[in-house]
Amino acid sequence: VSDASGCSMIALLHTGAAKFPQNLLPRARQAVCSLLPACVLKGYGSIVSRKLASHGFGASMAAMSSFPPQRYHYFLVLDFEATCDKPQIHPQEIIEFPILKLNGRTMEIESTFHMYVQPVVHPQLTPFCTELTGIIQGMVDGQPSLQQVLERVDEWMAKEGLLDPSVKSIFVTCGDWDLKVMLPGQCQYLGLPVADYFKQWINLKKAYSFAMGSWPKNGLLDMNKGLNLQHIGRPHSGIDDCKNIANIMKTLAHRGFIFKQTSKPF
């Protein structure tokens, strides 16, 4: 039924497009983007693109219509790794600081920030930490302190145009721990300020549960399984976890999900 209705919509728009007022064509294209089911777009995308290009809809219409527009220009995917042991050591310190800049229109990765961080309270990594994260002592020895890394994050944000008030961006994490517990806790311990852009975020677990109707108890592994995605890299590698988060977000966006802030204002 959806295929038939989709074909009808394509045919109707094709036959009527020549008579369409030019100033209304963009709205018509938006209507097509929002109304055509993904399965129809997948099967008929090339046909739509060919038929409508001559009427001012643009050759990239089919690609653009694969998912609705998001509320943010950019998503900043973040996943910390920190010092750890069993029983847990205190305070924990961030040792890997990765961010992926995800374009909110294409859901593709445009830029990467990735640094390792020298822990100062517990400078020697435990065997448990290395086994869990894959981070060895040589990867953190001699690296910048958290304060220095935060300064470089700010420089990267400025260079990427993310500090422009007209650019809407938001961080995305797998859970609330990274930006609700880990970063503010360590900054408080070290007497460092927390930048405002770290104070609102999207918890991917909550977004996934809204989209799929089930809570991912095992985090990224459950989300990849639920979406039939292959896991990228090794679990608990910060940069690999970011790539998995980005892949899950892209898949949900293609299914029509609109991402919204899940954190409460500070």
Side-chain angles (χ1 to χ4, degrees):
V1 175
S2 62
D3 284 356
S5 62
C7 289
S8 299
M9 291 170 67
I10 293 169
L12 179 63
L13 190 53
H14 171 50
T15 55
K19 301 175 183 179
F20 230 77
Q22 290 298 309
N23 64 320
L24 295 181
L25 283 175
R27 292 187 183 182
R29 179 169 62 179
Q30 274 193 336
V32 173
C33 293
S34 62
L35 293 176
L36 282 181
C39 58
V40 174
L41 289 168
K42 184 176 180 181
Y44 298 99
S46 59
I47 298 173
V48 174
S49 183
R50 274 200 314 274
K51 296 290 186 184
L52 301 184
S54 60
H55 298 297
F57 283 86
S60 62
M61 180 269 173
M64 291 295 295
S65 63
S66 57
F67 54 86
Q70 295 291 330
R71 296 184 171 192
Y72 296 92
H73 297 113
Y74 296 101
F75 297 104
L76 305 177
V77 179
L78 177 149
D79 190 274
F80 295 138
E81 297 305 325
T83 53
C84 53
D85 202 1
K86 282 192 174 181
Q88 188 60 272
I89 58 176
H90 297 284
Q92 284 188 275
E93 299 170 87
I94 295 168
I95 53 175
E96 185 181 6
F97 204 128
I99 307 172
L100 298 181
K101 179 188 176 187
L102 202 64
N103 186 303
R105 183 178 60 85
T106 65
M107 301 306 285
E108 298 291 342
I109 298 168
E110 285 194 353
S111 182
T112 301
F113 178 92
H114 186 211
M115 293 190 70
Y116 291 99
V117 190
Q118 169 89 52
V120 294
V121 182
H122 301 287
Q124 193 70 29
L125 301 183
T126 64
F128 174 84
C129 183
T130 294
E131 182 179 353
L132 180 69
T133 66
I135 299 173
I136 62 173
Q137 192 66 40
M139 295 165 73
V140 297
D141 284 346
Q143 294 302 308
S145 66
L146 180 64
Q147 180 177 0
Q148 293 169 320
V149 171
L150 289 173
E151 290 170 356
R152 295 190 190 182
V153 168
D154 203 66
E155 292 169 359
W156 178 80
M157 295 275 288
K159 184 188 72 173
E160 295 293 328
L162 296 167
L163 301 184
D164 184 335
S166 66
V167 175
K168 292 185 66 177
S169 65
I170 190 169
F171 279 90
V172 184
T173 58
C174 184
D176 291 321
W177 174 83
D178 300 81
L179 293 178
K180 187 176 183 179
V181 177
M182 188 61 239
L183 182 63
Q186 189 177 359
C187 284
Q188 182 179 28
Y189 183 88
L190 296 173
L192 302 174
V194 178
D196 286 342
Y197 46 71
F198 287 126
K199 295 180 180 179
Q200 50 275 320
W201 64 89
I202 294 169
N203 178 345
L204 184 64
K205 292 180 182 179
K206 290 182 181 178
Y208 177 91
S209 69
F210 296 152
M212 302 296 289
S214 62
W215 183 261
K217 295 180 181 178
N218 295 312
L220 294 175
L221 296 178
D222 280 358
M223 288 186 271
N224 277 326
K225 184 177 179 181
L227 295 170
N228 296 314
L229 299 174
Q230 288 291 325
H231 192 87
I232 300 169
R234 63 165 290 158
H236 302 296
S237 158
I239 191 65
D240 288 348
D241 284 352
C242 284
K243 292 174 183 176
N244 281 285
I245 293 171
N247 200 28
I248 291 165
M249 291 184 69
K250 183 177 180 179
T251 303
L252 290 176
H254 273 276
R255 294 186 177 204
F257 186 75
I258 305 295
F259 290 92
K260 303 173 185 176
Q261 178 178 331
T262 62
S263 64
K264 295 180 180 180
F266 271 56

